[in-house]
Amino acid sequence: MGHADGAKVDEAIPGGTGGLVDEILDLSRQRQAGPLSSWFADRLRQQVGSGQFLSPDRLAAVGRRLVQDLAGYREQADVSTAVIGMSGGVDSALTAALLKQAGWRVIGLTLPIEQDPSETDRGVETCAALGLEHLHLDLSEAYRAMLDHLDRLDPALGAEDDTAHRTRRGNIRARLRMVTLYDQAHRFGGLVASTDNFSELSAGFWTLHGDVGDLAPVQALLKSWEVPWMARAHGVPERTWRAMPTDGLGIGAGDEAQIGATYLEWDITQFALVEALRDDPGATLQHLVFVLGMDEDRHAQLVLGTVLARMRATWHKRVNPIRLDHPQADRYGPLEALERRLFHPAVLRSDPPMTGFSVELQDLAAHLVRALKAQDRRLVTAESCTAGLIAACVSGVPGCSDTLEGAFVVYRPSMKIAALGVPEALIAECTVYHPDVAKRMAEGALAAAPEADLAIAVTGVAGPGEDQGHPPGHVCLAAALRGRETRVTRHLFPGTPAQVLSRTVDRALREGLAALQEA
């Protein structure tokens, strides 16, 4: 999948990171596919320099941590047997190697279905090399019997040879294998190990309910570089980690031919997209070519189109099962918290993220930061019910330090009075949930922060119940621009407390933008 425009690029890459770049090009099989085009070569050099492609030292540390965590899970969850489908590929081999080193009993199953014998042979060889227990079951006859039955519903399934029908047949193969693996896991009192990697995950290059098991040690690793490097480091036979990646499902040629890009091109593009949207959350699909600087590299543009098309077509897999914005969706959080506290092994108990703002809120915050920069102004917030969420959302925008002056969290009436000068008599007469209180909060924040030019203030009832005669969702907002009349609005936001807060932050950012636009 290389491109002729990059014929001399590989030679020009070296510089300070050349040794690592050369090794990445080798282990990713990119040299066999062809040289990288100019955009990919430049981006690879940048991403290696910034540490996005892990160095061997860091990969070795990741491998040690994975083995340690797998051992911890084995002890804490009281399960010590893992069943793995040994396809003959590098992912299943690395997964098996890590589990074996972590002290698990690993049972490798070769389950060919009208498959290239060399792939099955590699699976058998890997089991022997790693010292795994090995079971073999040819599922070809069961597969053909299933096709015969399904042909009664749709005779074209077994007869047609276009991509859509080959994909359906490939999915049947994958799910038939998974049925077998789960049966054997139950037989041995163990679990099924997932073997998918990060590149396949993001590409949707896997079968829903056919490839995903119970424990996924390598799902965060890049297929292009990290998986083969770690496989080599953890004793996987070279014939396996050098092999051309295939799905073994008879859908088409190798993985990369089906994806429409080499794995290295895919990984480079993924990193570039994440970086671009981090820096500019408002970037649109139509402008990504220019945001990414691809306008002079036609091959890079084609790969970008492939990446976006595959992700658009497969996003539902990565959020399966899909949870609607159900009226009772607030039940999920407490249930997850309960299970995390009482049942999850310690190795799985990571702290929840400090902030979790939606893409839309990040986009609004980025627009506000750009507007503040354009006018050389600074922001201060005065927050009651949101308790600093507005400032936290703005603080997530790269470069916000030039525009965010600070925040006052004034949850109690006493803080509104002491920190922002809100009259005690006003609160006594109107309660804290009044537009005039929001107005005095914003103006008090500007008075207390002389370097700030815009103040956004909020006071309201997040819920779940009413307070001081005001219903949940009752929110008052104020946006004060120094030297201008303060904007004040009152709202009644529907939903759960979390939804009310999210809508409040959204409206607060919009009010700030509106105040700047009126300047």
Side-chain angles (χ1 to χ4, degrees), residues 135-439:
L135 298 174
H136 177 82
L137 180 64
D138 192 321
L139 294 174
S140 300
E141 184 177 346
Y143 165 69
R144 288 190 291 268
M146 182 170 285
L147 278 188
D148 287 343
H149 280 77
L150 291 174
D151 277 348
R152 299 174 189 176
L153 297 175
D154 178 14
L157 175 61
E160 299 294 333
D161 198 41
D162 56 78
T163 300
H165 287 89
R166 288 199 304 272
T167 300
R168 287 175 61 191
R169 294 194 293 270
N171 288 338
I172 291 169
R173 294 188 193 203
R175 290 172 180 140
L176 180 56
R177 288 173 178 159
M178 191 55 72
V179 166
T180 307
L181 291 173
Y182 266 101
D183 173 69
Q184 294 301 295
H186 188 82
R187 171 191 174 190
F188 291 108
L191 53 71
V192 176
S194 284
T195 63
D196 53 318
N197 56 68
F198 188 77
S199 311
E200 292 172 347
L201 176 71
S202 62
F205 196 61
W206 46 283
T207 298
L208 198 60
H209 308 305
D211 287 308
V212 179
D214 302 307
L215 184 62
V218 303
Q219 194 178 64
L221 299 179
L222 303 180
K223 175 76 167 190
S224 62
W225 158 243
E226 295 168 355
V227 169
W229 189 95
M230 290 189 67
R232 182 180 64 182
H234 288 268
V236 172
E238 181 172 358
R239 192 163 78 102
T240 297
W241 55 259
R242 288 282 190 192
M244 181 180 76
T246 67
D247 60 17
L249 299 176
I251 296 174
D255 290 4
E256 293 168 322
Q258 291 187 60
I259 289 174
T262 67
Y263 274 118
L264 184 58
E265 290 172 336
W266 183 279
D267 292 339
I268 293 170
T269 306
Q270 280 282 309
F271 281 141
L273 280 169
V274 170
E275 185 176 3
L277 292 175
R278 182 197 65 203
D279 293 341
D280 183 6
T284 63
L285 289 172
Q286 294 78 10
H287 294 96
L288 279 174
V289 166
F290 301 99
V291 170
L292 293 170
M294 289 180 171
D295 41 303
E296 295 184 0
D297 190 327
R298 179 58 179 161
H299 179 68
Q301 295 173 34
L302 292 173
V303 172
L304 175 64
T306 295
V307 170
L308 295 174
R310 283 201 66 92
M311 294 191 72
R312 182 187 298 113
T314 61
W315 69 266
H316 64 282
K317 293 184 179 183
R318 290 178 287 276
V319 296
N320 185 268
I322 294 170
R323 290 178 175 177
L324 301 177
D325 185 13
H326 194 278
Q328 299 304 120
D330 57 339
R331 292 174 174 168
Y332 292 129
L335 174 62
E336 290 168 358
L338 181 153
E339 292 192 325
R340 191 165 51 244
R341 183 183 181 102
L342 297 181
F343 308 123
H344 287 192
V347 73
L348 299 183
R349 291 188 205 132
S350 58
D351 292 331
M354 295 292 289
T355 58
F357 298 106
S358 69
V359 171
E360 291 77 15
L361 288 180
Q362 294 173 46
D363 189 10
L364 275 174
H367 281 302
L368 180 59
V369 167
R370 286 197 294 272
L372 287 163
K373 284 184 176 180
Q375 297 184 24
D376 193 25
R377 298 182 189 271
R378 289 176 176 269
L379 168 70
V380 64
T381 68
E383 306 184 52
S384 183
C385 59
T386 51
L389 288 175
I390 301 168
C393 189
V394 173
S395 73
V397 178
C400 71
S401 58
D402 293 332
T403 58
L404 180 59
E405 183 70 13
F408 293 94
V409 176
V410 288
Y411 209 75
R412 297 281 298 168
S414 56
M415 281 293 291
K416 295 176 178 67
I417 296 166
L420 300 179
V422 178
E424 186 174 358
L426 175 62
I427 293 176
E429 178 184 355
C430 302
T431 78
V432 293
Y433 309 121
H434 193 276
D436 288 346
V437 173
K439 181 174 184 291

